[in-house]
């Protein structure tokens, strides 16, 4: 069973940046796909970005050009660099890993507001 712990969320003004981290309880070398999802109040959870073990990435249209997902297998960590943040990016952000089953972290709140 993989445990995922997110960190790095917080309150930021529009146009600002945050970097989210997702630390896994075991080696992510064998985890092919890891990603970030988000859920805003009253909305369904949605994909933000995913990255494969080979470094291929995919992003939601709403964050392309602003967010960057990366991973370091040696550190068992996945990051989400978020730039040019907008109020509509406000949500709880969840880390996700697929290793046979799907695993979720507990989430970290990101609030973009002036």
């Amino acid at each position: 069973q993989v445990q995922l712990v997110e960190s790095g969320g917080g309150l930021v003004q529009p146009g600002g940046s945050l970097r989210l981290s997702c630390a896994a309880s075991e080696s992510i070398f064998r985890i092919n796909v890891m990603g970030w999802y988000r859920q805003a109040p009253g909305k369904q959870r949605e994909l933000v970005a995913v990255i494969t073990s080979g470094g291929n990435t995919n992003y939601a249209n709403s964050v392309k050009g602003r967010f960057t997902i990366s991973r370091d297998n040696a550190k068992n960590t996945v990051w989400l660099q978020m730039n040019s943040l907008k109020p509509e990016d406000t949500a709880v952000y969840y880390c996700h890993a697929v290793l046979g089953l799907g695993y979720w972290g507990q989430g970290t709140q990101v609030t973009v507001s002036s």
Side-chain angles (χ1 to χ4, degrees):
Q1 187 172 359
V2 180
Q3 294 182 336
L4 304 171
V5 178
E6 302 98 334
S7 61
L11 172 64
V12 63
Q13 291 186 342
S17 298
L18 283 175
R19 189 190 195 201
L20 305 183
S21 299
C22 172
S25 59
E26 61 179 77
S27 173
I28 65 172
F29 180 79
R30 62 196 183 106
I31 300 177
N32 184 38
V33 181
M34 297 194 71
W36 289 92
Y37 289 71
R38 67 187 181 186
Q39 187 166 18
K43 295 187 177 181
Q44 291 186 332
R45 191 171 298 188
E46 63 176 2
L47 171 71
V48 176
V50 293
I51 185 167
T52 69
S53 56
N56 294 317
T57 59
N58 192 30
Y59 297 91
N61 287 334
S62 59
V63 307
K64 281 182 180 177
R66 300 188 297 122
F67 291 11
T68 303
I69 188 171
S70 60
R71 65 190 283 173
D72 187 330
N73 291 342
K75 296 182 178 179
N76 299 332
T77 302
V78 176
W79 293 276
L80 184 68
Q81 177 67 44
M82 306 186 295
N83 299 327
S84 302
L85 282 161
K86 305 174 181 180
E88 51 264 43
D89 295 318
T90 296
V92 178
Y93 283 70
Y94 297 91
C95 182
H96 183 253
V98 178
L99 182 61
L101 301 175
Y103 297 92
W104 294 96
Q106 82 288 351
T108 184
Q109 176 70 46
V110 171
T111 302
V112 184
S113 176
S114 55

